[in-house]
Amino acid sequence: MEENDDSGIGPARPSNSSLTPSSERADEIFLEGPRSRFEEFITLLRVMRDFLRGFRTLHFVGPCVTVFGSARIKRDDPNYELARKIGAAIAQLGFTVMTGGGPGIMEAANRGAKEVGGRSVGCNIELASEQAANAYLDRCVRMHYFFVRKALLVKYSYAFVVMPGGAGTLDELFEAVTLIQTGKIKNFPIVIMGTDYWKELIGFIDKMARHGMISASDLTLIYATDSVEEAIAHIRSKTIEPFGLKRVARIRRHFPWLGERGLPRTLCVGGTSSVSSGK
């Protein structure tokens, strides 16, 4: 569809462009440039629908720790077992384990949480591949837009654990670092695990500080370790006391007619009103 506007000359759009594109093309269409005002309005409604679905599904999951990592890691990979252990330890600390909801590292972390009776949630993305949710989720919300998904993975979390992964994991890592660095979110801990895999990246971050591209103090935003015990101790010291979190024995009332869903467990980390108080 060609933009009917006198503001300039641009390429014509295909005449068969759809107002309700397939979900795997949602980001492509959103980012392809200006379209007609009506089509842009429809896109806005679709983005709002993604956010609303996420808010209603995740509002009662409790304070989370988000685990990032590759969907391509197999179950016999040592990093799968490491993610499973950190997922279990996060749940035992009292947090809900949140991931992208897919296979690989995400499945391992969710699985670890479920195996110790903890809470496990996922924020999945519609893709042509790697879109199936794993089997270890209490709640899963599926997004059309990547930027909505990333916002939700950050919104509910008090800490971030970064396991080996690819471009998407790097994107998520530096999204969290940038938000903390610029004061858009509080100084939540970021733990990198799989240090042999990440050693060149860690060295490059040090190089950025040496060249003045980031502040030397920014180096303290990331804590690298392969020890589950050290990772949990770091998360505990940087979250529970600084943000006034505590265990509670009740959950807030949810309203099914608003699309809200509570979780059956009543033990979580939270403030006096049964939700986290530091965000």
Side-chain angles (χ1 to χ4, degrees):
M1 181 180 296
E2 186 174 1
E3 174 73 57
N4 184 16
D5 199 315
D6 60 2
S7 61
I9 299 174
R13 301 295 179 189
S15 60
N16 62 345
S17 80
S18 171
L19 299 181
T20 56
S22 60
S23 56
E24 61 266 21
R25 293 194 63 235
D27 279 297
E28 176 188 348
I29 292 171
F30 176 73
L31 297 170
E32 67 181 1
R35 297 174 297 147
S36 73
R37 295 178 180 88
F38 182 66
E39 286 180 306
E40 298 285 48
F41 179 69
I42 294 299
T43 296
L44 176 61
L45 294 179
R46 288 172 60 84
V47 172
M48 290 174 60
R49 182 181 64 181
D50 254 17
F51 272 117
L52 183 60
R53 184 189 298 118
F55 293 161
R56 294 302 86 200
T57 303
L58 301 174
H59 188 67
F60 292 94
V61 298
C64 299
V65 172
T66 296
V67 180
F68 299 124
S70 176
R72 304 184 184 191
I73 295 291
K74 305 302 181 184
R75 292 190 173 189
D76 59 354
D77 190 301
N79 287 305
Y80 183 98
E81 186 60 27
L82 182 60
R84 186 175 172 183
K85 290 179 179 178
I86 193 67
I90 291 167
Q92 289 172 327
L93 190 59
F95 287 95
T96 300
V97 172
M98 175 180 279
T99 74
I105 291 293
M106 297 173 280
E107 175 189 291
N110 290 132
R111 179 179 178 180
K114 289 294 291 180
E115 287 174 339
V116 296
R119 294 181 170 199
S120 172
V121 299
C123 190
N124 210 338
I125 184 70
E126 292 278 5
L127 295 173
S129 60
E130 297 180 352
Q131 64 178 331
N134 67 65
Y136 303 99
L137 299 170
D138 294 309
R139 294 285 181 271
C140 182
V141 58
R142 182 165 293 180
M143 301 286 97
H144 295 129
Y145 295 96
F146 259 112
F147 71 92
V148 177
R149 181 200 195 202
K150 285 202 300 178
L152 294 176
L153 288 171
V154 171
K155 177 178 174 63
Y156 298 95
S157 290
Y158 277 77
F160 308 95
V161 176
V162 183
M163 301 290 299
T169 304
L170 280 173
D171 182 35
E172 292 158 341
L173 166 61
F174 284 107
E175 174 90 3
V177 171
T178 302
L179 289 171
I180 296 170
Q181 180 193 49
T182 56
K184 294 298 183 181
I185 62 176
K186 296 185 185 297
N187 192 13
F188 300 126
I190 300 173
V191 178
I192 289 181
M193 303 194 75
T195 56
D196 184 64
Y197 179 85
W198 291 117
K199 62 183 178 182
E200 291 84 5
L201 176 66
I202 295 169
F204 185 72
I205 294 172
D206 289 336
K207 180 179 180 180
M208 287 193 288
R210 292 197 305 272
H211 285 262
M213 301 302 172
I214 61 175
S215 300
S217 60
D218 291 336
L219 296 177
T220 64
L221 300 180
I222 295 174
Y223 182 81
T225 182
D226 291 325
S227 166
V228 172
E229 292 76 18
E230 290 179 3
I232 291 301
H234 182 72
I235 292 171
R236 180 191 292 113
S237 68
K238 298 294 184 180
T239 57
I240 293 179
E241 290 187 9
F243 297 109
L245 303 178
K246 65 179 183 179
R247 290 180 181 267
V248 296
R250 63 187 180 88
I251 58 174
R252 294 171 62 195
R253 181 183 178 189
H254 66 281
F255 299 100
W257 56 275
L258 287 178
E260 297 173 348
R261 299 176 65 194
L263 281 175
R265 284 172 47 81
T266 59
L267 188 62
C268 64
V269 176
T272 57
S273 60
S274 300
V275 292
S276 51
S277 59
K279 297 199 83 170

